[in-house]
């Protein structure tokens, strides 16, 4: 709730880049503005997803002797719309629960199936941070815009369409999204293998 005070489009001069792009008819400035927006949105979203991680790891729901991860997910999901609503109230910044939020939740549901217990929080955050960066690149593209986008993203997309740069922007967004998503999945499987090796080592030491 504090970060939006410091992480503003004015501080990142996003609209300056968009304006320069239109004045000079230079797509390079559009790409610079897009990069600034990705960095700003990533930094803004990190605390919320860290909170989701911490809550998920700190809550234990057991029913009939079995862990109920699905119930935990349902308990934690309201964090995102609540946080967005509070940001709207305090800062008048519209953050729709759009494609990034939906895909983030779906990835989180995929992540919890691995039930990582022996790796550090830094490693867990690195896995999810990689995916969040990828999501932010997808968010600035025009894909699935019917699910809602922020005001800055909407203005950036209008400039991209006006300058007929949507092809190159789409290719860049898909490329970065694919790269960071694949990197996140590979990290997840690597850490899962690492955890299994740690578990086998402890079993041997116990024997």
């Amino acid at each position: 709730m504090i970060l939006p005070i410091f992480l503003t489009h004015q501080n990142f001069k996003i609209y300056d880049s968009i304006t320069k792009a239109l004045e000079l008819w230079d797509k390079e400035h559009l790409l610079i503005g897009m990069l600034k927006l990705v960095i700003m949105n990533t930094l803004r979203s990190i605390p919320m997803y860290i909170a989701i991680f911490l809550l998920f790891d700190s809550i234990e729901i057991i029913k009939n002797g079995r862990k109920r991860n699905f119930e935990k997910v349902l308990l934690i999901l309201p964090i995102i719309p609540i946080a967005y609503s509070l940001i709207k109230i305090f800062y008048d910044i519209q953050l729709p629960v759009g494609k990034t939020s939906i895909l983030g939740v779906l990835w989180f549901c995929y992540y919890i199936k691995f039930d990582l217990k022996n790796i550090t929080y830094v490693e867990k955050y690195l896995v999810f941070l990689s995916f969040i960066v990828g999501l932010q690149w997808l968010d600035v593209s025009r894909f699935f815009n019917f699910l809602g986008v922020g005001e800055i993203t909407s203005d950036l997309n209008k400039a991209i369409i006006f300058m007929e740069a949507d092809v190159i922007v789409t290719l860049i967004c898909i490329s970065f999204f694919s790269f960071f998503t694949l990197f996140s999945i590979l990290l997840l499987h690597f850490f899962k293998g690492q955890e299994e090796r740690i578990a086998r080592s402890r079993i041997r030491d116990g024997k």
Side-chain angles (χ1 to χ4, degrees):
M1 295 304 300
I2 296 175
L3 285 182
I5 298 176
F6 308 101
L7 302 177
T8 64
H9 67 81
Q10 292 92 341
N11 291 339
F12 280 82
K13 298 181 179 180
I14 295 174
Y15 279 102
D16 289 352
S17 297
I18 297 174
T19 302
K20 284 183 180 179
L22 293 171
E23 289 177 347
L24 303 175
W25 203 256
D26 189 345
K27 296 178 182 179
E28 180 180 342
H29 288 287
L30 269 184
L31 299 179
I32 292 173
M34 185 170 62
L35 176 61
K36 290 178 180 179
L37 181 58
V38 168
I39 294 173
M40 185 185 74
N41 287 341
T42 300
L43 293 175
R44 279 181 175 181
S45 62
I46 285 174
M48 180 175 62
Y49 287 107
I50 288 179
I52 291 175
F53 264 112
L54 292 174
L55 281 173
F56 185 83
D57 285 339
S58 63
I59 296 173
E60 193 78 17
I61 299 178
I62 299 177
K63 188 176 181 180
N64 298 327
R66 297 181 60 184
K67 294 182 180 180
R68 311 294 291 185
N69 287 333
F70 181 72
E71 282 81 350
K72 284 204 292 184
V73 171
L74 292 180
L75 186 64
I76 293 171
L77 283 185
I79 291 177
I80 296 177
I82 290 174
Y84 285 179
S85 298
L86 291 175
I87 289 173
K88 173 63 177 177
I89 292 172
F90 287 106
Y91 304 110
D92 196 29
I93 298 175
Q94 183 67 40
L95 298 175
V97 182
K99 55 180 176 285
T100 53
S101 302
I102 295 172
L103 291 174
V105 169
L106 291 176
W107 191 96
F108 188 73
C109 293
Y110 172 73
Y111 158 82
I112 63 176
K113 292 181 179 180
F114 288 77
D115 194 26
L116 302 176
K117 297 295 183 183
N118 296 313
I119 68 171
T120 66
Y121 278 108
V122 174
E123 291 171 328
K124 291 181 180 180
Y125 297 152
L126 182 60
V127 170
F128 205 67
L129 177 60
S130 301
F131 186 72
I132 293 303
V133 173
L135 278 185
Q136 298 307 328
W137 280 104
L138 186 65
D139 191 47
V140 298
S141 71
R142 294 198 296 127
F143 282 102
F144 310 114
N145 274 7
F146 61 90
L147 294 175
V149 294
E151 296 173 3
I152 304 175
T153 303
S154 177
D155 292 338
L156 178 62
N157 284 337
K158 291 175 184 176
I160 291 171
I161 295 172
F162 181 70
M163 294 185 65
E164 299 180 345
D166 46 339
V167 174
I168 182 65
V169 167
T170 298
L171 290 175
I172 290 174
C173 291
I174 292 178
S175 297
F176 276 108
F177 169 72
S178 301
F179 171 79
F180 283 105
T181 300
L182 179 61
F183 181 68
S184 177
I185 293 173
L186 290 176
L187 272 181
L188 183 58
H189 284 271
F190 172 78
F191 290 140
K192 180 60 178 177
Q194 177 180 302
E195 181 171 87
E196 291 173 350
R197 289 191 295 271
I198 293 173
R200 288 195 296 267
S201 177
R202 288 178 177 176
I203 293 175
R204 288 197 301 267
D205 293 341
K207 290 181 179 180

